[in-house]
């Protein structure tokens, strides 16, 4: 059986200005003091890419298990997609992503297209391709799911 190597990202909570606060830091990173969350993510992905480039690692796919954005911010999902694709030099089709509670429009009906609009715009309707996403009530039809 072939082995797969996955990169798992969760709770990135990206926004254009959000910084990593003291209670977010589990382990100090040399030279980085309260960076913007997107900068810390870039730093981390660049380290992974270095391992790939030096032949020590092969990444088959990236799994994003929710909360890519902060409080439903409009740019968080696109920033996350662009960061992953650029820093790891992978195609968006190799990303499996599911929305978290911060990735949906607060107060929208659970089965509405509006609820997942920012999420689907970034991951399904981007010019550089489509990611793999789960069945989303209100976006997908149960009739379209093949057995």
């Amino acid at each position: 059986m072939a082995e797969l190597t996955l990169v798992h990202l969760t709770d990135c909570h990206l926004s254009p200005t959000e910084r990593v606060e003291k209670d977010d830091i589990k382990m100090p990173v040399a030279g980085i003091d309260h960076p913007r969350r997107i900068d810390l993510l870039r730093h981390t992905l660049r380290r992974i890419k270095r391992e790939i480039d030096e032949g020590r690692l092969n990444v088959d796919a990236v799994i994003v298990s929710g909360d890519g954005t902060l409080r439903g911010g409009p740019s968080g999902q696109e920033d996350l997609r662009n960061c992953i694709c650029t820093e790891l030099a992978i195609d968006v089709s190799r990303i499996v992503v599911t929305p978290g509670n911060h990735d949906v429009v607060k107060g929208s009906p659970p089965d509405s297209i509006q609820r997942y609009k920012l999420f689907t715009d970034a991951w399904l309707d981007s010019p550089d391709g489509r990611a793999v996403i789960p069945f989303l009530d209100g976006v997908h039809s149960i009739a379209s799911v093949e057995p």
Side-chain angles (χ1 to χ4, degrees):
M1 176 187 290
E3 288 186 16
L4 291 176
T5 301
L6 307 173
V7 171
H8 177 221
L9 302 172
T10 191
D11 297 288
C12 296
H13 296 281
L14 299 183
S15 78
T17 59
E18 189 68 17
R19 294 193 173 275
V20 175
E21 299 300 329
K22 184 176 180 178
D23 60 337
D24 294 324
I25 298 174
K26 308 299 185 243
M27 185 171 150
V29 177
I32 298 179
D33 185 38
H34 302 292
R36 290 183 317 142
R37 289 175 177 270
I38 187 78
D39 295 333
L40 186 58
L41 178 62
R42 279 190 188 104
H43 175 81
T44 302
L45 295 177
R46 285 176 185 158
R47 290 186 68 180
I48 293 170
K49 181 68 165 87
R50 189 177 330 131
E51 295 293 311
I52 294 168
D53 291 345
E54 292 174 2
R56 292 191 295 266
L57 183 65
N58 179 41
V59 173
D60 297 294
V62 176
I63 309 293
V64 181
S65 58
D67 290 349
T69 190
L70 184 68
R71 294 184 285 278
S75 67
Q77 296 296 332
E78 290 180 6
D79 290 344
L80 180 58
R81 183 199 68 232
N82 292 337
C83 186
I84 294 168
C85 292
T86 300
E87 300 304 337
L88 293 180
I90 68 165
D91 188 85
V92 70
S93 65
R94 291 174 49 199
I95 301 172
V96 179
V97 60
T98 186
N101 64 310
H102 286 265
D103 301 322
V104 297
V105 177
K106 188 175 181 178
S108 58
D111 61 349
S112 69
I113 291 174
Q114 173 197 4
R115 181 173 184 82
Y116 299 106
K117 176 113 176 76
L118 297 172
F119 180 83
T120 58
D121 283 355
W123 296 105
L124 294 181
D125 300 329
S126 73
D128 48 324
R130 296 170 63 101
V132 178
I133 68 167
F135 179 90
L136 299 173
D137 194 21
V139 173
H140 301 101
S141 165
I142 196 73
S144 69
V145 178
E146 297 181 27

